[in-house]
Amino acid sequence: MDIKICSEAFDPWQEIQSHQHSVADIAGKFGATNIFIGTMRDFNEGDDVKGMTLEHYPGMTEKQLGKIVAEALQQWPVIDALVVHRVGDILPNEPIVLVAVWTSHRGDAFDASRYIMEALKSRAPFWKKELLESEVERWLVKNTDGYL
Amino acid sequence: MDIKICSEAFDPWQEIQSHQHSVADIAGKFGATNIFIGTMRDFNEGDDVKGMTLEHYPGMTEKQLGKIVAEALQQWPVIDALVVHRVGDILPNEPIVLVAVWTSHRGDAFDASRYIMEALKSRAPFWKKELLESEVERWLVKNTDGYL
Amino acid sequence: MSIKVRYFASLKESIGRSEDILGLAGMATVGDVWRYANPNKALPDNTLAAVNMDYVELSSPVKDGDEVAFFPPVTGG
Amino acid sequence: MSIKVRYFASLKESIGRSEDILGLAGMATVGDVWRYANPNKALPDNTLAAVNMDYVELSSPVKDGDEVAFFPPVTGG
């Protein structure tokens, strides 16, 4: 299990591969991997967005993410999991969050990955401030249910 | 949208990246990517498995996968999708299937990716024959509901 | 009419052929195609059938030039 | 008792401070901590609170040395 907070841009494929290679006993044992990547868009709520700053609460972020992953491990037979979250100044098209879950069977991989993402969205202390093309800065007020 | 049948081992990270780079208008437009990877395990039903042969019905496979992806596009606002499936002789720890879905919002990415995987499992004409460590060969009889 | 019949996976192995070319007179269904091609073997339970690469019921009609396929439940992914 | 209070994101900007160190006498709740630190400002609706990096209700007690945090709904991921 690994939880990382990155203040620089990260490459999700590189992160997944190096994590997978770092887990010695995993080869041949997992049958399913589900991965979610959240990426910064260049528009939101009808406005062009040129950048974003992600603030977090150092310490609490890691603690809450650790709890969330532990909850997923209690509910599903998860072989391994990786969560990477970006903080600081972010540009459009850069990854914000990566969740990867390795399991034996596909249903568990989908369920656990989605659980971690939804819990992260509602409980992990991160806050986004958008910088619009118009130079206006605005804090996001709340996360959506995932369909808006 | 892209559907590929591979007779050689494929690198899922390479496939996703080259697909994402090939879609000119996607940068900054997608907020969510869900990826499922099915990987060959070295055990099944209590036996050690040393290899697998995946047979398919050329032509029908592509036709059915195309229909499944089209159904997903009708049900969710999918920006792009990629399906890669291996055929031929496969070794443990090699990827068998890759499904990747790009959307604006996370709920749609999870839903569409899972829909494609479940439909692929029940309708795409592929058949697995396992080669056990004991040298016994056996056809898989049916796919599971995803939790066994 | 001429019908191409294809068999896959364990079904192909159990009947020992991957393909038949049938010449049928009159109307026929997918089930008739099986019986004509395999007069001494009942269609195994759970066998799936396709005509021209789309899934069909055994009661579906076939026409000249169709490709009919029989195969066990699929196990990809 | 000594309590460290932290503010984040838009709440930090609106009150103009990121941190307070309070000296409180007697028993107190998380809600009391807010009122003591911000006597002229009502706690904004939807504000979340944490003690020692775990979410708590405003009625939760605090003890000497606790780190209390107030922040708006989270928007990560």
Side-chain angles (χ1 to χ4, degrees):
Chain A
M1 310 299 152
D2 209 2
I3 290 166
K4 292 168 74 171
I5 308 297
C6 291
S7 54
E8 304 290 329
F10 69 90
D11 177 335
W13 323 119
Q14 200 55 54
E15 294 290 337
I16 298 166
Q17 280 183 282
S18 41
H19 182 79
Q20 197 168 292
H21 292 156
S22 75
V23 184
D25 298 340
I26 205 174
K29 302 308 170 205
F30 66 100
T33 313
N34 190 267
I35 297 158
F36 179 86
I37 298 165
T39 304
M40 191 190 153
R41 290 180 297 157
D42 59 13
F43 64 96
N44 192 28
E45 296 174 10
D47 297 302
D48 290 333
V49 183
K50 68 178 184 182
M52 181 182 273
T53 302
L54 246 159
E55 183 175 335
H56 77 305
Y57 182 172
M60 182 164 175
T61 309
E62 293 83 347
K63 187 175 189 177
Q64 295 300 318
L65 290 175
K67 283 186 166 197
I68 290 166
V69 171
E71 289 163 10
L73 265 64
Q74 283 187 326
Q75 292 176 73
W76 295 280
V78 170
I79 296 172
D80 210 6
L82 170 67
V83 178
V84 182
H85 203 293
R86 182 75 184 281
V87 294
D89 294 332
I90 305 184
L91 295 172
N93 208 38
E94 289 182 350
I96 298 170
V97 61
L98 162 67
V99 172
V101 172
W102 288 264
T103 65
S104 288
H105 302 288
R106 71 185 184 283
D108 299 317
F110 276 104
D111 288 346
S113 162
R114 190 161 195 166
Y115 177 85
I116 292 171
M117 262 314 294
E118 295 301 323
L120 181 157
K121 282 265 179 184
S122 68
R123 290 156 51 191
F126 295 103
W127 301 273
K128 287 174 183 155
K129 184 194 246 180
E130 293 178 332
L131 174 60
L132 306 186
E133 281 292 344
S134 61
E135 299 296 332
V136 168
E137 288 188 343
R138 70 177 174 203
W139 288 99
L140 264 66
V141 175
K142 64 182 177 85
N143 269 332
T144 66
D145 65 1
Y147 291 93
L148 289 173
Chain B
M1 311 301 152
D2 207 1
I3 290 166
K4 293 167 73 170
I5 307 298
C6 291
S7 54
E8 304 291 329
F10 70 92
D11 178 335
W13 323 119
Q14 201 54 53
E15 294 289 337
I16 298 165
Q17 280 182 281
S18 40
H19 182 80
Q20 199 168 291
H21 292 155
S22 75
V23 184
D25 298 340
I26 205 174
K29 301 309 168 204
F30 66 100
T33 313
N34 190 266
I35 297 160
F36 179 86
I37 298 166
T39 304
M40 192 189 152
R41 291 180 296 157
D42 59 13
F43 63 96
N44 192 29
E45 296 175 9
D47 298 301
D48 291 333
V49 183
K50 68 178 183 183
M52 182 183 269
T53 302
L54 245 160
E55 185 176 332
H56 77 305
Y57 182 171
M60 181 164 176
T61 309
E62 293 82 348
K63 186 175 190 180
Q64 295 300 318
L65 290 175
K67 283 187 166 195
I68 290 166
V69 171
E71 289 163 10
L73 265 65
Q74 282 187 325
Q75 292 176 74
W76 295 280
V78 171
I79 296 172
D80 209 4
L82 169 67
V83 178
V84 182
H85 203 293
R86 182 76 185 282
V87 294
D89 294 332
I90 304 182
L91 295 173
N93 209 37
E94 288 182 351
I96 298 170
V97 62
L98 162 67
V99 171
V101 172
W102 289 264
T103 65
S104 289
H105 303 289
R106 70 186 184 283
D108 299 318
F110 276 105
D111 288 345
S113 160
R114 191 163 194 163
Y115 178 85
I116 292 171
M117 260 315 293
E118 295 301 325
L120 181 157
K121 282 265 181 184
S122 68
R123 288 157 50 192
F126 294 104
W127 301 273
K128 287 175 182 153
K129 183 194 249 178
E130 293 178 331
L131 174 60
L132 306 186
E133 282 292 344
S134 61
E135 299 296 333
V136 169
E137 288 189 345
R138 68 176 175 204
W139 288 98
L140 264 66
V141 175
K142 64 183 176 83
N143 269 330
T144 68
D145 65 1
Y147 291 92
L148 288 175
Chain C
M1 62 183 168
S2 172
I3 301 288
K4 183 175 180 175
V5 191
R6 302 184 66 178
Y7 309 100
F8 290 92
S10 57
L11 185 62
K12 173 177 66 182
E13 290 187 356
S14 74
I15 67 174
R17 309 187 307 279
S18 65
E19 207 173 300
D20 290 317
I21 304 288
L22 299 186
L24 293 180
M27 299 201 299
T29 65
V30 172
D32 295 334
V33 168
W34 174 269
R35 283 184 289 273
Y36 191 84
N38 301 278
N40 299 314
K41 185 177 167 65
L43 187 71
D45 281 352
N46 302 323
T47 298
L48 300 172
V51 170
N52 300 331
M53 303 184 177
D54 279 317
Y55 286 99
V56 294
E57 302 293 323
L58 294 176
S59 57
S60 289
V62 294
K63 61 181 194 309
D64 186 43
D66 277 354
E67 175 169 306
V68 178
F70 297 100
F71 46 78
V74 303
T75 55
Chain D
M1 63 182 169
S2 171
I3 301 289
K4 181 175 182 176
V5 191
R6 303 184 67 177
Y7 309 99
F8 291 92
S10 57
L11 184 63
K12 173 177 67 183
E13 290 187 356
S14 74
I15 69 174
R17 310 187 307 281
S18 65
E19 206 173 302
D20 291 318
I21 305 286
L22 300 187
L24 294 179
M27 297 201 300
T29 66
V30 172
D32 295 334
V33 168
W34 173 269
R35 284 183 290 273
Y36 192 84
N38 301 278
N40 300 315
K41 186 176 167 66
L43 187 70
D45 282 351
N46 303 323
T47 298
L48 300 172
V51 171
N52 300 331
M53 304 183 177
D54 280 316
Y55 287 100
V56 295
E57 301 294 322
L58 294 176
S59 56
S60 289
V62 294
K63 61 180 193 310
D64 186 43
D66 278 351
E67 175 170 307
V68 178
F70 297 100
F71 46 79
V74 302
T75 56

